[in-house]
């Protein structure tokens, strides 16, 4: 009888072990599905969202990345074009107060990630020989920094960090962060592309000044302010004489040089706060605004 009971108990134990193993596998599968869903949601938002909401996109990417690796703090930032400084564009937790503060690339982990183009994980930041001496980071223990690659070079970084206790970063966690770093890179690349398109659409190719379309937009905005009693200003029309004669006698390249020189002289004369545009071959419009309070 005892032998039968033992056999039954052994069978029950084996069944429980199989069930626990099955439950663990299902939880892993569920986690993978949830992770894929989150990545899909962030990617969909990135591809369909407006670049005017860049900070919202970065916030969504960072929040999802930190959630997936159970990190309370983190940030997304970019290196300067010359690679000498690093600036956090969006930060959470202990890094929120460091947003927009220039950090020398030679300090901390920034230099290693920028030079190597590879992820860097520090299990105990308190013992890290190149740690940044910042009281706001005093409680930070573990941190992983993942590079943002744009146009084949390191342009920024995404970081996740923990405080008070050391946290081991698994290969899956590293992969998650690298995937979200790629999404962040796409956001910044989209912004740059949109800026280039906007620059082409609203600026004169020869002089770099605002064109007719940009002038129209500017005047519409200023007229709204003027009607509300919030702004006033003057509009100057400048037309160059005898440009056709210069083109006919010396060539269009000489005429172009005259236009470029005239544009520089006009900008120098009216000051940096004036709105200067080239609306035609030899025609310029200058708008100088002034604001005053209703009490005045």
């Amino acid at each position: 009888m005892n032998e039968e009971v033992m056999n039954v108990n052994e069978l029950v134990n084996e069944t429980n072990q199989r069930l626990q193993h099955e439950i663990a596998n299902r939880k892993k599968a569920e986690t993978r599905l949830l992770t894929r869903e989150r990545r899909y949601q962030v990617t969909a938002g990135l591809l369909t969202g407006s670049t005017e909401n860049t900070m919202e996109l970065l916030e969504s990417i960072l929040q999802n990345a930190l959630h997936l690796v159970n990190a309370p703090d983190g940030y997304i930032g970019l290196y300067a074009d010359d690679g000498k400084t690093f600036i956090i564009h969006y930060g959470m937790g202990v890094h929120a107060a460091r947003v927009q503060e220039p950090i020398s690339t030679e300090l901390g982990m920034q230099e290693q990630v920028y030079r190597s183009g590879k992820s860097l994980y520090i299990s105990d930041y308190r013992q890290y020989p190149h740690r940044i001496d910042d009281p706001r980071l005093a409680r930070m223990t573990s941190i992983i920094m993942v590079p943002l690659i744009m146009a084949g070079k390191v342009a920024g970084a995404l970081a996740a960090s923990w405080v008070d206790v050391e946290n081991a970063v698994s290969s899956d966690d590293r992969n998650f962060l690298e995937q979200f770093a790629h999404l962040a890179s796409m956001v910044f690349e989209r912004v740059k592309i949109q800026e280039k398109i906007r620059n082409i659409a609203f600026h004169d190719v020869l002089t770099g000044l605002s064109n007719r379309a940009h002038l129209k937009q500017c005047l519409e905005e200023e007229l709204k302010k003027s009607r509300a009693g919030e702004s006033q200003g003057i509009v100057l029309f400048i037309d160059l004489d005898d440009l056709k004669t210069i083109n006919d006698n010396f060539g269009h390249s000489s005429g172009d040089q005259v236009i470029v020189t005239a544009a520089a002289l006009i900008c120098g004369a009216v000051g940096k706060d004036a709105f200067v545009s080239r609306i035609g071959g030899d025609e310029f419009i200058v708008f100088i605004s002034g604001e005053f309070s209703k009490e005045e």
Side-chain angles (χ1 to χ4, degrees):
M1 190 67 168
N2 289 336
E3 185 177 350
E4 291 180 1
V5 173
M6 292 178 61
N7 289 336
V8 170
N9 287 337
E10 185 177 345
L11 179 61
V12 170
N13 289 333
E14 290 178 357
T15 302
N16 286 335
Q17 288 178 1
R18 286 198 298 269
L19 286 173
Q20 290 175 2
H21 183 68
E22 180 65 23
I23 291 172
N25 286 337
R26 289 190 177 187
K27 285 184 177 180
K28 288 181 180 179
E30 183 180 353
T31 300
R32 286 195 295 269
L33 288 173
L34 289 174
T35 299
R36 290 177 183 174
E37 182 180 355
R38 282 183 175 276
R39 287 204 300 265
Y40 172 79
Q41 291 174 346
V42 175
T43 304
L46 169 63
L47 296 176
T48 59
S50 169
T51 53
E52 293 180 358
N53 298 320
T54 302
M55 292 309 298
E56 291 182 9
L57 289 172
L58 293 178
E59 179 181 359
S60 176
I61 290 171
L62 185 60
Q63 286 181 344
N64 279 275
L66 298 183
H67 176 79
L68 287 171
V69 299
N70 294 316
D73 311 320
Y75 60 80
I76 295 176
L78 290 177
Y79 292 96
D81 290 338
D82 59 9
K84 294 182 178 180
T85 55
F86 178 84
I87 294 180
I88 296 175
H89 285 256
Y90 183 77
M92 295 179 62
V94 298
H95 306 290
R98 304 171 65 213
V99 172
Q100 297 303 322
E101 291 183 5
I103 304 170
S104 173
T105 303
E106 297 179 356
L107 297 177
M109 302 168 67
Q110 283 79 20
E111 194 273 339
Q112 286 180 264
V113 171
Y114 184 74
R115 302 300 177 194
S116 68
K118 297 179 180 179
S119 302
L120 178 60
Y121 166 62
I122 305 298
S123 60
D124 189 353
Y125 189 76
R126 295 164 297 186
Q127 304 300 321
Y128 181 53
H130 305 294
R131 66 171 295 162
I132 296 176
D133 186 17
D134 187 329
R136 292 171 295 185
L137 304 179
R139 294 175 55 207
M140 192 169 73
T141 47
S142 301
I143 180 171
I144 178 171
M145 184 182 293
V146 181
L148 306 185
I149 308 297
M150 288 183 272
K153 62 177 290 187
V154 177
L158 181 152
S161 66
W162 294 260
V163 296
D164 297 333
V165 294
E166 294 182 34
N167 184 84
V169 176
S170 66
S171 58
D172 284 343
D173 288 346
R174 185 177 295 232
N175 288 335
F176 290 151
L177 292 174
E178 289 176 349
Q179 289 164 5
F180 279 95
H182 179 64
L183 290 177
S185 298
M186 291 174 62
V187 169
F188 286 119
E189 287 180 336
R190 276 193 65 197
V191 170
K192 287 185 177 181
I193 290 172
Q194 290 297 327
E195 287 177 348
K196 288 181 180 179
I197 292 174
R198 179 177 175 81
N199 187 65
I200 293 172
F202 288 99
H203 290 83
D204 174 51
V205 176
L206 179 61
T207 62
L209 296 176
S210 296
N211 59 14
R212 187 185 295 270
H214 198 188
L215 172 66
K216 181 175 181 293
Q217 185 184 72
C218 172
L219 290 179
E220 287 176 350
E221 293 174 355
E222 290 297 330
L223 285 173
K224 288 181 182 179
K225 292 181 181 179
S226 179
R227 295 188 187 100
E230 299 173 352
S231 178
Q232 61 183 349
I234 59 174
V235 178
L236 306 176
F237 175 75
I238 302 172
D239 182 21
L240 303 182
D241 292 332
D242 299 324
L243 183 63
K244 185 177 183 303
T245 302
I246 294 174
N247 287 332
D248 291 342
N249 289 281
F250 302 101
H252 285 275
S253 60
S254 296
D256 288 347
Q257 187 58 49
V258 170
I259 292 173
V260 171
T261 302
L265 291 172
I266 292 171
C267 290
V270 298
K272 62 179 182 178
D273 294 328
F275 184 94
V276 184
S277 64
R278 181 190 176 208
I279 62 171
D282 57 359
E283 297 174 339
F284 299 84
I285 293 286
V286 177
F287 177 73
I288 304 174
S289 67
E291 297 184 358
F292 55 89
S293 66
K294 293 183 179 179
E295 295 179 357
E296 294 176 333

